[in-house]
Amino acid sequence: MKMRKSDWLKIGIVLVVFIIGLTFSYQILKPKPRLPIYNPSELDSRLVDESVQRQGRGHRVLPFKLVNQFGDTITEKNLEGKIYIADFFFTTCPGICKDMAIEKRRLQEVFKADDDVVIVSHSVTPELDSVPVMYEYGEMQGAIEGKWQLLTGDKPQIYKLARQSYFAVMDEGGNGDEDDFIHTENFVLVDPQKRIRGFYDGTSAEAVDKLIADIAILKASLNE
């Protein structure tokens, strides 16, 4: 039996409707992307201080009390409700810190108008990086007050944060005494609940592109 043109048209319409419906259903049912929540026991043990290696869930960034480039006391309470990128650097670093600074300036520009996202940079040589030194460095980098916090202060506290909160360095080291020194390119993504959501090479534009994309994923998941 020969198909009429009107029959072919009806079949075509049905197929189009079917394809549209299938596509729409897929979009509804497709799992939305989610970022992992990192806990100490799930990470490379070389990154994790021995004191917390067995912690399997519920990890949060430790409370802290440091000083920013303006001489203001900054604690974890200043980051309430914020998504932030943490890193560790020093102002006289001749190597990786320069590349990290380029990427932090880019992050600041991308999230310049977003009050929910901030950058928190910790000096690993706080005995040298005084408030005036950090202020001068911040001016040179174009750090925006409140958007990019440059923190200095108690060295043992900063090193404890690096090893027990952010898992940013792959060395056991000491207790932040005068002979202890850490050097890391890691950027660490932290959510408003102080949970770690990602690690990124702060010297790599490609890795920071992923960080930017992951922040969008994180923001979407928090708004659901």
Side-chain angles (χ1 to χ4, degrees):
M1 180 177 176
K2 188 175 180 181
M3 297 282 289
R4 292 177 297 176
K5 185 180 291 186
S6 59
D7 293 329
W8 283 113
L9 182 61
K10 290 176 183 177
I11 292 171
I13 292 171
V14 169
L15 285 173
V16 169
V17 171
F18 175 76
I19 292 169
I20 291 172
L22 191 64
T23 302
F24 184 69
S25 299
Y26 173 75
Q27 292 299 324
I28 292 176
L29 298 174
K30 183 176 69 172
K32 294 181 179 179
R34 291 284 189 277
L35 299 185
I37 298 171
Y38 290 97
N39 289 293
S41 65
E42 302 156 355
L43 300 172
D44 187 328
S45 61
R46 293 174 296 173
L47 286 167
V48 184
D49 188 85
E50 188 176 350
S51 64
V52 293
Q53 282 182 3
R54 293 179 179 81
Q55 185 180 341
R57 60 188 306 176
H59 176 74
R60 299 289 191 278
V61 172
L62 293 167
F64 63 88
K65 186 177 182 181
L66 297 167
V67 182
N68 72 7
Q69 68 267 40
F70 300 99
D72 300 323
T73 297
I74 302 296
T75 73
E76 72 283 354
K77 296 185 184 303
N78 294 92
L79 299 172
E80 290 292 336
K82 303 292 186 183
I83 294 169
Y84 70 95
I85 303 109
D87 77 290
F88 295 82
F89 82 111
F90 58 108
T91 61
T92 57
C93 170
I96 62 173
C97 296
K98 291 183 177 180
D99 292 329
M100 292 165 66
I102 291 171
E103 295 305 324
K104 283 183 282 187
R105 290 197 300 269
R106 183 159 72 97
L107 284 167
Q108 179 176 246
E109 187 61 30
V110 170
F111 296 105
K112 191 174 182 178
D114 190 337
D115 293 336
D116 294 331
V117 181
V118 297
I119 304 165
V120 183
S121 298
H122 308 74
S123 171
V124 300
T125 58
E127 67 279 9
L128 301 175
D129 290 334
S130 62
V131 169
V133 170
M134 293 287 264
Y135 178 82
E136 184 178 347
Y137 179 84
E139 289 292 291
M140 181 179 70
Q141 296 296 336
I144 298 170
E145 185 172 2
K147 173 61 67 175
W148 185 355
Q149 300 278 12
L150 299 166
L151 301 185
T152 187
D154 179 57
K155 184 175 180 180
Q157 183 183 175
I158 291 170
Y159 279 48
K160 185 177 181 180
L161 284 169
R163 293 185 171 119
Q164 295 183 23
S165 279
Y166 298 110
F167 313 119
V169 288
M170 197 171 283
D171 69 67
E172 294 181 3
N175 297 311
D177 57 29
E178 62 181 14
D179 296 320
D180 195 4
F181 181 71
I182 59 176
H183 203 204
T184 174
E185 72 278 7
N186 281 335
F187 286 176
V188 183
L189 178 61
V190 183
D191 71 15
Q193 287 76 47
K194 306 294 190 296
R195 301 174 299 186
I196 294 175
R197 308 305 295 267
F199 299 89
Y200 310 84
D201 181 347
T203 67
S204 165
E206 183 178 357
V208 174
D209 285 343
K210 185 177 187 309
L211 169 56
I212 292 167
D214 282 355
I215 289 174
I217 292 171
L218 179 56
K219 285 178 70 71
S221 69
L222 294 173
N223 291 330
E224 289 178 355

